[in-house]
Amino acid sequence: MGILGKIFTWWDGATVGTLLNSWKTGEQVGEDGLGNRYFRARKGDRRWVLYNGSNDASRVPPEWHGWLHGTLDELPGEALPAPRAWEREPTANLTGSAGAYRPAGALERGGRRAAATGDYEAWRPGAE
């Protein structure tokens, strides 16, 4: 997309204006494993993220989400305990993509559901 893409589009990374504003009014406080960079305003308490790639909020790890929304005052590396053995890495939101969950009977899987078992009786008004 080049320079025009950086000037006019916001959905695939930060625009030039956002980058300049981040440089001018903010200070970078950290970066996550996906390459997203986190900033805090030099004056005030505003916090924001510059995504590495598409602007998708589901790509923010939980610890940084807590910091962005003010749940944690300390940076994630300083405030959080070590990860537990049973914790899994967060995954992106796959809704609308080829990897989205589609149960049996969904149109994308042929639209055929399992036959009814006969143990269901529909409610009728006035029937007891």
Side-chain angles (χ1 to χ4, degrees):
M1 227 187 271
I3 189 70
L4 287 178
K6 278 293 186 190
I7 292 173
F8 295 112
T9 61
W10 56 266
W11 53 85
D12 193 24
T15 63
V16 172
T18 303
L19 291 171
L20 289 175
N21 183 57
S22 297
W23 172 75
K24 180 181 173 188
T25 64
E27 62 176 325
Q28 184 173 342
V29 296
E31 186 172 327
D32 64 21
L34 298 172
N36 299 326
R37 297 179 296 160
Y38 297 89
F39 291 83
R40 148 175 65 208
R42 290 192 182 105
K43 297 178 184 175
D45 59 351
R46 185 168 176 248
R47 301 170 181 186
W48 67 94
V49 59
L50 294 181
Y51 295 99
N52 180 24
S54 65
N55 294 335
D56 180 8
S58 69
R59 295 179 59 232
V60 174
E63 61 271 14
W64 282 104
H65 181 271
W67 180 81
L68 279 172
H69 292 277
T71 305
L72 302 171
D73 286 330
E74 299 85 22
L75 294 173
E78 303 164 0
L80 297 176
R84 308 254 163 94
W86 46 265
E87 290 180 349
R88 292 180 12 189
E89 287 293 316
T91 58
N93 182 353
L94 299 177
T95 303
S97 71
Y101 172 71
R102 292 179 174 86
L107 294 176
E108 293 86 357
R109 290 186 57 187
R112 296 196 178 143
R113 299 187 331 187
T117 61
D119 61 349
Y120 174 78
E121 184 177 330
W123 174 83
R124 286 187 217 99
E128 298 209 19

